[in-house]
Amino acid sequence: NAGVTQTPKFRILKIGQSMTLQCTQDMNHNYMYWYRQDPGMGLKLIYYSVGAGITDKGEVPNGYNVSRSTTEDFPLRLELAAPSQTSVYFCASSRVDGNQPQHFGDGTRLSIL
Amino acid sequence: DAKTTQPNSMESNEEEPVHLPCNHSTISGTDYIHWYRQLPSQGPEYVIHGLTSNVNNRMASLAIAEDRKSSTLILHRATLRDAAVYYCILRDPQTGANNLFFGTGTRLTVIP
């Protein structure tokens, strides 16, 4: 069972470059999420989606964009990368019921130099 | 979402029980108590959740105080694999999109 798959696992960007972090899930979950985790901190929600074509901002959306064209995929786009975006990024998915657990990927470790 | 308070770190000897506390004095009547853990270099994984009654599953037990202002995650026999950061999170299933708000959690160290 693949679950939630994130690519790439590691990436180094230069300031001002852009990139897309990929996330796909094979559990047919309607809800998907992007979090970032800075060293020694808990996860913070960047964007989330309740279904294909529907996205909404979380706590820390500035500097990021998302799209949700299919149930399976939820890519996160960084435009004009900045050092403050150096972090570990986690994608997650869940079923609709509010008490269903979220399933997380293994993360993408991103460094902006 | 209401806030939770957890100790920054705890230690346990291997094969002994571990009690991880969480205070949530501002919990509302519709908030469920969720626990996740994050092993080193991995994404968080769900552990357990409950509303009022104590809950058990294959990973852990959750003991909830009668006034619901605190709860305790119980690992019955700690193993080295249980070394992780444990997050206590309140979640109202009637609001939002199942969003989770993570604090800094409790870092559990298991001593061989």
Side-chain angles (χ1 to χ4, degrees), chain A residues 3-4 6 10 18-20 24 33-34 38 40 42-43 49 52-53 59 61 65-66 70 73 77 81-82 100 103 108:
Chain A
V4 177
Q6 293 184 237
F10 304 94
S18 61
M19 77 163 293
T20 299
T24 187
Y33 314 83
W34 274 105
D38 298 331
L43 282 71
S49 168
E59 298 177 82
N65 283 301
V66 292
T70 67
D73 300 307
R77 177 92 177 154
Q100 291 293 322
H103 299 260
T108 294

Side-chain angles (χ1 to χ4, degrees), chain B residues 86-103:
Chain B
Y86 287 78
Y87 297 98
C88 171
I89 301 168
L90 300 184
R91 176 73 192 104
D92 183 346
Q94 299 177 23
T95 65
N98 193 18
N99 293 340
L100 298 174
F101 293 90
F102 288 80

Side-chain angles (χ1 to χ4, degrees), chain A residues 38-108:
Chain A
D38 298 331
M41 305 297 288
L43 282 71
K44 292 189 182 300
L45 184 65
I46 305 172
Y47 271 95
Y48 65 97
S49 168
V50 299
I54 306 171
T55 63
D56 208 345
K57 297 177 180 178
E59 298 177 82
V60 290
N62 291 344
Y64 306 95
N65 283 301
V66 292
S67 60
R68 184 94 182 272
S69 57
T70 67
T71 299
E72 296 77 20
D73 300 307
F74 190 39
L76 177 71
R77 177 92 177 154
L78 277 72
E79 304 282 2
L80 297 175
S84 61
Q85 294 176 305
T86 294
S87 191
V88 182
Y89 292 84
F90 292 101
C91 179
S93 70
S94 75
R95 293 182 179 175
V96 172
D97 179 349
N99 277 324
Q100 291 293 322
Q102 290 189 15
H103 299 260
F104 287 80
D106 289 334
T108 294

Side-chain angles (χ1 to χ4, degrees), chain B residues 4-69:
Chain B
T4 63
T5 303
Q6 300 176 252
N8 288 333
S9 62
M10 291 185 64
E11 287 187 351
S12 173
N13 293 320
E14 193 177 10
E15 298 189 3
E16 290 187 355
V18 182
H19 291 233
L20 297 165
C22 181
N23 288 320
H24 28 79
S25 58
T26 60
I27 191 170
S28 73
T30 52
D31 282 332
Y32 281 72
I33 303 157
H34 289 245
W35 284 82
Y36 282 72
R37 73 178 185 180
Q38 186 174 20
L39 303 174
S41 300
Q42 294 188 22
E45 64 175 342
Y46 167 81
V47 178
I48 200 167
H49 77 273
L51 181 63
T52 56
S53 304
N54 294 345
V55 184
N56 301 295
N57 66 20
R58 64 175 180 81
M59 291 181 69
S61 296
L62 176 60
I64 301 172
E66 194 169 338
D67 64 4
R68 301 209 327 123
K69 293 183 184 300

